[in-house]
Amino acid sequence: MKTIDLTHLICPEMSVYPGTEGPQFSLASTVEKDKFQETVLSMYSHTGTHVDAPGHVFTDKAWLGDLDIGQFVGSAVVIDCRHLQAGEKITMECIASCREVADKADFLLFCTGWDRYWGTAEYFENYPCIDEEVAQYLVRMGKKGVGTDTISLDPVASLKLHRIVLEGGRMVIVENLTNLASVPGGMFTFCALPLKYPQADGSPIRAIAIKEFTYVD
């Protein structure tokens, strides 16, 4: 079994969605003073590698806590889109080469390679996004969720694709993934477990890929 971390480090200088504040950390207790260390964390619910609930863009849809915990774990496949140029759309043609496994997977994770710009201004500019046909395909196939290694499923300042994907009230969106290119080909288990808090419109997660291997003596 191989476990691969798909999560960006949360730190003050990290990339955050334009208009939001970066996370803040302060020591509440220290070993020297209190005999133990404890840290106060302050951050937006969509900080770093995170998951969006349907309630993120709809007033009458589910929060993360309303969804069964199994919604955040399932089979997944990485769709390699690194051949796309800046601003190009992720279309059904990108899925065609692995369509059979993509149809069966609970999650589709789109690897654009854009995580290489993490921490720079370029991360927010002209990253590849799925088109509406792909969004409708995800809905039609009843996926548990969709993930991407960019700041958003939509271009910055748009939520059109979010609304298509989340309107059914069950699917989730995982954004700011990283290291997708390191996941071996084929199906694997994807885990994107959110924090448990009331009216959770989103949550930072520790996203991982688990690949099982068959050993032959």
Side-chain angles (χ1 to χ4, degrees):
M1 182 177 76
K2 184 175 185 181
T3 303
I4 302 169
D5 192 0
L6 306 178
T7 316
H8 282 289
L9 177 69
I10 296 176
C11 57
E13 63 273 16
M14 69 188 294
S15 295
V16 293
Y17 195 84
T20 64
E21 299 173 1
Q24 300 177 32
F25 303 82
S26 61
L27 284 177
S29 305
T30 65
V31 174
E32 292 77 11
K33 179 184 176 183
D34 307 290
K35 296 184 171 50
F36 64 91
Q37 180 166 311
E38 190 169 13
T39 305
V40 177
L41 311 178
S42 176
M43 68 185 77
Y44 280 63
S45 55
H46 297 259
T47 295
T49 306
H50 68 274
V51 60
D52 293 352
H56 179 43
V57 293
F58 291 100
T59 59
D60 60 345
K61 303 296 183 183
W63 307 116
L64 294 177
D66 297 327
L67 301 172
D68 184 86
I69 193 64
Q71 189 69 26
F72 308 101
V73 180
S75 60
V77 64
V78 171
I79 308 298
D80 191 350
C81 304
R82 288 175 293 172
H83 60 282
L84 296 177
Q85 300 299 310
E88 283 194 277
K89 293 291 186 181
I90 299 170
T91 68
M92 289 302 297
E93 185 177 345
C94 298
I95 301 174
S97 62
C98 58
R99 179 62 184 269
E100 185 175 353
V101 67
D103 285 354
K104 296 176 182 177
D106 295 318
F107 293 86
L108 295 192
L109 309 181
F110 292 98
C111 175
T112 69
W114 218 253
D115 53 340
R116 68 187 182 275
Y117 297 123
W118 181 256
T120 73
E122 292 175 277
Y123 189 67
F124 307 100
E125 301 171 357
N126 296 319
Y127 49 86
C129 297
I130 64 172
D131 66 8
E132 288 189 40
E133 185 180 9
V134 172
Q136 294 291 356
Y137 162 77
L138 296 169
V139 173
R140 187 172 66 254
M141 298 302 293
K143 301 301 184 188
K144 287 186 176 183
V146 55
T148 178
D149 57 2
T150 62
I151 190 69
S152 177
L153 196 68
D154 283 279
V156 170
S158 173
L159 289 170
K160 184 176 184 179
L161 297 167
H162 275 69
R163 296 184 69 85
I164 293 173
V165 170
L166 298 176
E167 187 174 13
R170 179 177 172 272
M171 200 183 307
V172 297
I173 299 171
V174 182
E175 294 166 329
N176 292 329
L177 289 164
T178 189
N179 209 27
L180 288 176
S182 297
V183 180
M187 199 91 79
F188 58 93
T189 299
F190 178 63
C191 301
L193 302 179
L195 299 175
K196 191 174 183 178
Y197 70 94
Q199 297 186 342
D201 50 80
S203 172
I205 57 173
R206 188 65 179 266
I208 61 171
I210 302 173
K211 184 73 174 183
E212 300 285 350
F213 293 99
T214 301
Y215 296 94
V216 179
D217 294 331

